[in-house]
Amino acid sequence: LQQPETPTRSGLMNGDRSRELGREYPLLIGGERVKTRDVCDSYNPSRPEQVIGRHAVATAEDVDRAVAAGWAAFDDWSRTPV
């Protein structure tokens, strides 16, 4: 599973990351990216008119699937060395 590129603190200071503003972030359930009908906008506190991200809003069913996926992965992950 490839992780989405996310801005780092140094990246924000060293270049224009404005192309990433307003990007949509789906849920991640059992390694699968899940888009939802409802999203929650996240705003820049210093520029309230600027949407910095749109995050998927989970339903109760999404939560149930995520908990089930977590329990299904628990045995393997619990044996992963730290």
Side-chain angles (χ1 to χ4, degrees), residues 43-60:
Y43 295 92
N44 179 345
S46 66
R47 292 186 185 161
E49 73 283 356
Q50 185 179 54
V51 175
I52 58 175
R54 304 193 75 195
H55 305 275
V57 175
T59 63

Side-chain angles (χ1 to χ4, degrees), residues 35-48:
K35 288 191 173 188
T36 62
R37 183 181 58 174
D38 294 328
V39 294
C40 175
D41 290 342
S42 179
Y43 295 92
N44 179 345
S46 66
R47 292 186 185 161

